[in-house]
Amino acid sequence: MAGQSKKDSRKGFFSDVRLPVAKTYVYPPSRRAMVLVGGGGALLILAVFAFNLTLQRGTLISNGPLSSNHAVFGDDCSTCHTPFDDVTDAQCSVCHEKYGDRLGLHTFAAHYLYRSGDLSRAVARPDEPACFACHTEHVGRDAPITRVDDAPCLACHRYGSFNRRHPEFDVIAAQTPDPANLSFPHALHVREVQTFEDLPDLEASCLYCHNPQPDGKAFQPLDFALHCAACHLNAGEGTGFVPVATPGAPGVLTLATIRARQAPGTAWAASVSPGDFEDRGGQVRKRPLPHADPWVLYNLRRLRWVLYPNDGLADLIQASADVTPDQAVVLYEEALATLRDYADGLRAQPEREVQDDLREIDRLLDLVARRLRDPATPLDATRFALTRAGVPPAAYQNVIDQLTRPCQTCHQVDRATLLRPQPDQRVLRRAAFDHRAHVIDLRCLDCHTAIPIEQLIAPGADDDPARDNAAIQNLPALATCQSCHTASKASNACITCHLFHPDKSQRANLLPYLR
């Protein structure tokens, strides 16, 4: 260190290498031209987009032409879109929902409620996809926006596909009987129809009673006057001889007694002919006997008053209360109709007290009717059920049997009441089936094979009640449908049978929830 020169020991010098240093500051070349060109290009692009947005309705930035469902909007993007945001369900509901509905018809909540009937499910979920996630737009005029792939459905319903892991129909899996409460052998009636109507074709015999609705999708309910009256309850048929009621003994009230009492609910007695009755030593019979004869039903009700005095509500309905809980409204509506009939029978009385009571009765009946339309009001069908313990004494049972003898040809009678028939049962609660689309290639008995009708009507065949009765659900199983609906044949997509949104043609079924 001592030998270093003073110059070499100055701070900042580390070697003898000397680099050139510019005598003046270096200025970069001018970028003015680049800025002018870039800015001009940007202004040109903005001008093109401004012209397109204002005069050409944004055709340059559209994803594609709208579907035919939305073609009415033209190129007005603001109808559905908001700047820098997705299309919201609220924007869809502007057109697709009825104003004032508390529960939107096209919402997930409506889907849950309509298919399950469970009010607790009629709430929105935070993870539900938006409308546009299922209904893809901007794919052309010919692309149906209502055509939804299986993927959105299978996100919740993890069945794989219709041909893989789809559950069996509930009614088939549980072997649910049809609660028809009728004694009805199909084979006997098919033979009779073929004979008297000269119908050699078996399917024509089926359609004699099972009449399609005008649109061909389903069938109309069976009707006694249309389908049964030609053979049943003819002019010569009537009740057996029934004892006239006396104190302490079972019997019926005669037409003259009913007219003299003028009790509520007996206005029908004025239109019944006394010539329809035949008296014989304290006994009476009635013929001819129309279907749902009011004299028979009235006397059945009186017998129930005596036999089951603690089952008051059962007297307000004509048939038994054996309905499912979701059908209980039928019982209440029938009971309301009976009470209104009772009230109408008192309206001719001029007393002020009677008229005041009638106004109060009408108010209460209207209140009950409004509550029936409220889906949150629980309905108890057991209130209309008769006492299960005990059977009518033999003397009463004899009166009941003689009074309902012609009825029991078809109907089942239990404890002085007719068991309620089920004239039209809808078993597919989560799917829609269109007969019209199937009858072109298939016949009735190609699918409805649970009752082997062709074997039962063959010459020499015996009627087998175990194989042929009204309680058999003569419906095809899932495998029958899967034989045609495959990936290579008829459509097997979820929306082929299932409706996500409530069917618009059945919107009235959802109206009670929208009030």
Side-chain angles (χ1 to χ4, degrees), residues 393-427:
Y396 279 92
Q397 189 61 53
N398 180 65
V399 173
I400 296 168
D401 289 340
Q402 291 297 322
L403 184 64
T404 61
R405 187 178 64 184
C407 308
Q408 294 185 46
T409 302
C410 300
H411 292 278
Q412 300 173 19
V413 180
D414 179 37
R415 288 162 297 147
T417 184
L418 298 170
L419 296 186
R420 184 175 297 272
Q422 301 289 343
D424 185 29
Q425 186 177 18
R426 292 285 183 260
V427 295

Side-chain angles (χ1 to χ4, degrees), residues 14-96:
F14 299 94
S15 72
D16 294 331
V17 179
R18 298 292 184 263
L19 298 175
V21 179
K23 300 298 184 180
T24 59
Y25 186 78
V26 179
Y27 291 96
S30 175
R31 299 181 181 177
R32 182 178 302 173
M34 182 179 65
V35 173
L36 291 175
V37 172
L43 291 175
L44 178 62
I45 293 174
L46 289 175
V48 170
F49 274 98
F51 175 79
N52 181 259
L53 289 172
T54 56
L55 300 179
Q56 295 182 328
R57 297 183 177 273
T59 56
L60 290 178
I61 60 174
S62 174
N63 291 333
L66 293 171
S67 65
S68 59
N69 302 76
H70 294 152
V72 67
F73 301 143
D75 298 320
D76 188 2
C77 303
S78 62
T79 303
C80 300
H81 293 275
T82 54
F84 309 107
D85 198 2
D86 289 328
V87 178
T88 64
D89 290 352
Q91 290 166 307
C92 300
S93 67
V94 171
C95 296
H96 292 281

